[in-house]
């Protein structure tokens, strides 16, 4: 939580926003919600009464441990994880890999729409991946093997 306190809510928002938190992923299904990636500006817009619009230091610490106003969707979390595993390359999520014509049995692969990669340095993404692996004590799968399947 000390890092969250040093960074502050707006820097955390700035650094997490490129990962897609707090906005729709544009997956090909209806009903997706945005979730919440809080910031001081978000709180000013969300609350009407001035005393509720103020950002308090304790709220920042709550965010740093994954609590507080953070409200990420499971899809946002999965998408962010997939982005890191792919070395920072973002993709628009899809529910299907291919579509098969039931009459002709012809298969059409659904395109993986590549989005702009994360604005992070490769060595920073590698550091995040090592930290995740160290915390989870599992080995990361071979990305190329996953993509080939």
């Amino acid at each position: 939580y000390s890092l969250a306190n040093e960074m502050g809510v707006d820097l955390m928002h700035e650094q997490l926003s490129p990962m897609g938190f707090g906005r729709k992923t544009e997956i090909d299904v209806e009903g997706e919600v945005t979730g919440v990636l809080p910031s001081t500006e978000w709180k000013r817009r969300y609350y009407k009464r001035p005393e509720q619009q103020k950002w308090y230091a304790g709220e920042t610490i709550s965010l740093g441990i994954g609590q507080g106003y953070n409200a990420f969707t499971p899809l946002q979390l999965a998408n962010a994880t997939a982005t890191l595993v792919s070395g920072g390359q973002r993709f628009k999520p899809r529910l299907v890999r291919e579509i098969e014509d039931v009459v002709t049995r012809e298969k059409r692969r659904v395109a993986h729409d590549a989005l702009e990669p994360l604005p992070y340095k490769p060595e920073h993404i590698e550091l995040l991946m090592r930290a995740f692996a160290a915390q989870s004590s599992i080995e990361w799968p071979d990305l190329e093997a996953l993509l080939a399947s």
Side-chain angles (χ1 to χ4, degrees):
Y1 63 80
S2 59
L3 180 59
N5 192 43
E6 290 175 37
M7 290 179 69
V9 62
D10 289 325
L11 182 56
M12 289 192 310
H13 182 275
E14 179 185 319
Q15 293 297 311
L16 289 171
S17 186
M19 298 289 291
F21 296 114
R23 65 175 183 262
K24 293 181 179 183
T25 65
E26 300 180 22
I27 192 168
D28 50 349
V29 67
E30 292 192 25
E32 183 180 17
V33 296
T34 60
V36 175
L37 175 59
S39 66
T40 54
E41 177 61 31
W42 166 84
K43 194 170 183 192
R44 281 193 294 271
R45 283 192 328 263
Y46 188 77
Y47 290 100
K48 305 298 180 231
R49 296 191 346 234
E51 64 272 14
Q52 293 177 308
Q53 294 175 339
K54 183 179 179 346
W55 192 270
Y56 296 96
E59 294 172 321
T60 302
I61 292 171
S62 290
L63 298 180
I65 60 171
Q67 296 178 0
Y69 296 113
N70 287 332
F72 310 138
T73 68
L75 182 58
Q76 288 170 345
L77 292 167
N79 204 39
T81 302
T83 298
L84 289 174
V85 169
S86 69
Q89 178 58 57
R90 296 172 49 237
F91 292 93
K92 187 174 178 180
R94 296 279 181 243
L95 290 179
V96 296
R97 183 182 307 176
E98 66 185 15
I99 298 171
E100 182 178 344
D101 185 305
V102 295
V103 175
T104 66
R105 295 289 192 218
E106 183 180 331
K107 295 179 182 178
R108 181 177 55 89
R109 193 162 179 92
V110 175
H112 292 3
D113 296 340
L115 303 172
E116 187 175 329
L118 290 177
Y120 305 154
K121 293 179 181 178
E123 58 268 25
H124 294 164
I125 293 173
E126 177 65 26
L127 178 67
L128 287 170
M129 294 299 295
R130 287 176 192 244
F132 291 157
Q135 288 300 309
S136 65
S137 72
I138 61 168
E139 293 185 37
W140 288 95
D142 180 359
L143 177 62
E144 290 187 44
L146 287 174
L147 293 176
S149 64

